[in-house]
Amino acid sequence: MSRPRIVIVGAGFAGYRTARTLSRLTRHQADITLLNPTDYFLYLPLLPQVAAGILEPRRVSVSLSGTLPHVRLVLGEADGIDLDGRTVHYTGPEGEEGTLPYDRLVLAAGSVNKLLPIPGVAEHAHGFRGLPEALYLRDHVTRQVELAAAADDRAECAARCTFVVVGAGYTGTEVAAHGAMYTDAQVRKHPMRTGMRPRWMLLDVAPRVMPEMDERLSRTAERVLRQRGVDVRMGTSVKEATHDGVVLTDGTSVDTRTLVWCVGVRPDPLVESLGLPMERGRLLVDPHLQVPGRPELFACGDVAAVPDLNQPGQYTPMTAQHAWRHGKVCAHNVVASLGRGQRRAYRHRDLGFVVDLGGAKAAANPLGVPMSGPAAGAVTRGYHLAAMPGNRVRVAADWLLDAVLPRQAVQLGLVRSWSVPLESSSPEVARVPGRPEAGRPERAGRPATPTTPDTQRSDTEPEGEQAGGTTNDAAAKNQPDSEPARSRPGGEPAGNQPGGEPAKARPGSEPAKAQPGGQPAKNQPGGEPAKNQPGSEPAKAQPGGEPAKNQPGSEPAKAQPGGEPAKNQPHGDRAKKGPSGSPRASGKPRRAVEAAGPRPARGGSGRPGKAPRASGAGSAGKHPAAPSGPSRSAGPPTDPGPEPPANQPPPGPDIAPGPVKRTDGRAVEGDS
């Protein structure tokens, strides 16, 4: 009998706990597969400390393969589930697709940023759900303080050092508390020229900070925030967001370059495609975390609407504490469905909450006992160390170093603004330019290709910087009504002519002039060289090459890939080369290849001399090139010219040593 196949989608709090418990309970008698976009489990409660420079990113990232024995990790994101065929379709990190069959399926895909229909928020705000967003916020805040310190204009300084956080829940409160400490430490070292100080604002439509917590803890958190200068505004939110600021619901306009969106989360859109009963975007399950009518399907964490047995008619909230406990109960019930043990119903017992406010300040109510001050800070950090499934010693070491050493306020520039959009179905993965996000653009509700940096990037990033460290001057600039520019050796694009396609050299015409200043077009990396026509200037397109020299009586033509171009022929004619920079092979003209024009480099490698293989080219470009024969034009047949010098190496199997002649006495069409 084959071993049962268990597939777990998602490695958040619920998915990670399910996989770890299943690995222990099945005793190697089942095949457990964990599908997740990243190879780590992210401990979200400590993410604000990453943004504030207290913890390094790897401290809150627990290796999946290192802590989940006997669990197969598959990197990818589920984009389709066939419930009848019992398969999960996924897309890998490099665009590859795959299918995972299962006998038991656990959906623990987690949640994404919650969006509201507010103009400008999706374009100008950033969430706080993954490591890329935390790293971006750290760089962004550091850059704004540095730019504000160097600014002479008070208005610009005030806008850059104003930070608006929307949402006064756990995450938003911690981000504002840690952010205020971080920027104050920067200003103490490098005071601003205008004498201003950073300003943090915390907005929420709720009547008080952290309404989910006890009222005493809420007052404690608000008091700490106000002592640090945070402008706490309850009953207020954002009405409109622009590039230069926000308009609040009370009519106030605030000039700012930073808008952090922490209003809440919504279940991952994956479960909406299943066509099963839902409850406010969450999949309805029974108290055993099993989907009614689908005995092989389980759901837990933020994607599951789990009945709260302590409060009939209610569902457990979307918190990390519930998700962590869902995972343990779900694992036991999956094993019970395979014939081992008894099913368990999920019943929550509240152990209290903790909120880290930075430094020695915190708000906590362990076992229902309200605490504040240093005692609450010690309880909070002790709880996090106990709850983390790994990296405890490293986290404690970072806390110790932060207590005795100043923080390093530097911006690394590893994550750009456009790579962490607010509207994302995968906040744990930074968006990659040139391809859809994790293979799920349809469910994310946006175009498959990422927004260009010019429209999505905030002005907080240095002018001219794009992905990969290139600059705007070196980026491809399209002219009106033209096709996109194509990259050149060295990373500079071809400048297309307005009103048409990129210039292409054709037989019988003038050389293609696509460069500023009207110079002949230069070769594309890996593409065809410029083809000069009779009466035109020699080609100036080989990477590192020189103008062609005359043939007979001079140096032989050099047509090696990446070497010097063929030099001018007598009577003003120029040698025409094939796709690989060598003379044409065999006696059949390749009109189709010439008419197609130069091909853009594949993948933008920018390596001159490495040409793509053209149709019918055979092994052209792999052998030493023979001397170039006379140019071929559309005119009447003329004297083919002298034979090539005797000192040339013998031609390769696909290279002709000279002009092609026919045995019937007639010239080949196009020969001159």
Side-chain angles (χ1 to χ4, degrees), residues 130-155:
L131 268 182
E133 293 172 322
L135 293 176
Y136 167 74
L137 182 61
R138 178 177 175 178
D139 279 0
H140 175 86
V141 171
T142 304
R143 181 166 53 249
Q144 291 312 298
V145 174
E146 292 172 349
L147 293 175
D152 294 325
D153 182 56
R154 290 184 61 86

Side-chain angles (χ1 to χ4, degrees), residues 30-115:
D31 294 330
I32 306 173
T33 301
L34 179 61
L35 177 64
N36 197 59
T38 63
D39 63 348
Y40 60 82
F41 158 74
L42 177 63
Y43 190 74
L44 271 171
L46 293 181
L47 200 59
Q49 298 192 24
V50 174
I54 300 175
L55 297 178
E56 291 301 316
R58 285 191 175 90
R59 304 297 185 257
V60 298
S61 310
V62 180
S63 171
L64 296 179
S65 57
T67 57
L68 296 177
H70 313 295
V71 175
R72 175 194 174 201
L73 174 63
V74 175
L75 291 179
E77 189 171 6
D79 50 22
I81 298 176
D82 183 0
L83 296 177
D84 296 328
R86 295 195 177 188
T87 57
V88 177
H89 184 272
Y90 69 92
T91 302
E94 297 182 353
E96 68 278 11
E97 298 182 354
T99 302
L100 297 174
Y102 65 85
D103 298 308
R104 297 293 184 272
L105 176 63
V106 179
L107 292 178
S111 56
V112 298
N113 292 311
K114 181 180 180 180
L115 291 177

Side-chain angles (χ1 to χ4, degrees), residues 581-650:
S582 58
R584 291 195 182 161
S586 73
K588 297 182 180 180
R590 291 184 223 142
R591 302 193 249 334
V593 175
E594 295 174 358
R599 296 174 56 187
R602 199 178 311 174
S605 62
R607 290 181 293 175
K610 186 171 182 179
R613 190 170 295 178
S615 174
S619 57
K622 295 184 180 179
H623 307 282
S628 173
S631 62
R632 302 183 179 188
S633 64
T638 60
D639 184 12
E643 293 294 330
N647 59 354
Q648 294 297 325

Side-chain angles (χ1 to χ4, degrees), residues 17-19 21-22 25 289 326-336:
R17 186 77 182 276
T18 302
T21 307
L22 278 174
L25 294 177
L289 307 180
H326 285 175
K328 182 178 180 180
V329 174
C330 184
H332 280 277
N333 292 337
V334 169
V335 173

Side-chain angles (χ1 to χ4, degrees), residues 25 46 154 235 286 342 354 369 388 391 500 659:
L25 294 177
L46 293 181
R154 290 184 61 86
D286 59 21
Q342 299 294 325
V354 294
V369 179
M388 288 194 68
N391 297 344

Side-chain angles (χ1 to χ4, degrees), residues 424-509:
S424 171
S425 63
S426 302
E428 66 274 15
V429 179
R431 182 180 293 187
V432 178
R435 69 177 179 86
E437 172 203 352
R440 297 199 298 171
E442 302 86 358
R443 295 196 295 107
R446 60 179 173 277
T449 56
T451 309
T452 59
D454 291 331
T455 58
Q456 184 73 5
R457 185 189 65 221
S458 67
D459 72 341
T460 61
E461 299 183 9
E463 287 296 324
E465 291 196 17
Q466 307 242 357
T470 60
T471 62
N472 286 339
D473 294 335
K477 300 179 181 177
N478 299 334
Q479 301 296 332
D481 304 321
S482 66
E483 297 182 356
R486 303 178 181 179
S487 299
R488 298 205 174 294
E492 296 186 0
N496 295 335
Q497 299 296 334
E501 299 180 356
K504 302 176 183 178
R506 301 185 180 276
S509 64

Side-chain angles (χ1 to χ4, degrees), residues 282 285 289 300-302 304-311 313-319 321-323 326 346-349:
R282 294 195 284 173
V285 297
L289 307 180
C300 54
D302 291 348
V306 182
D308 191 343
L309 299 182
N310 296 328
Q311 301 180 23
Q314 302 293 325
Y315 297 95
T316 59
M318 299 167 60
T319 64
Q321 189 175 118
H322 281 287
H326 285 175
Y346 178 75
R347 188 180 295 273
H348 175 67
R349 179 170 176 259

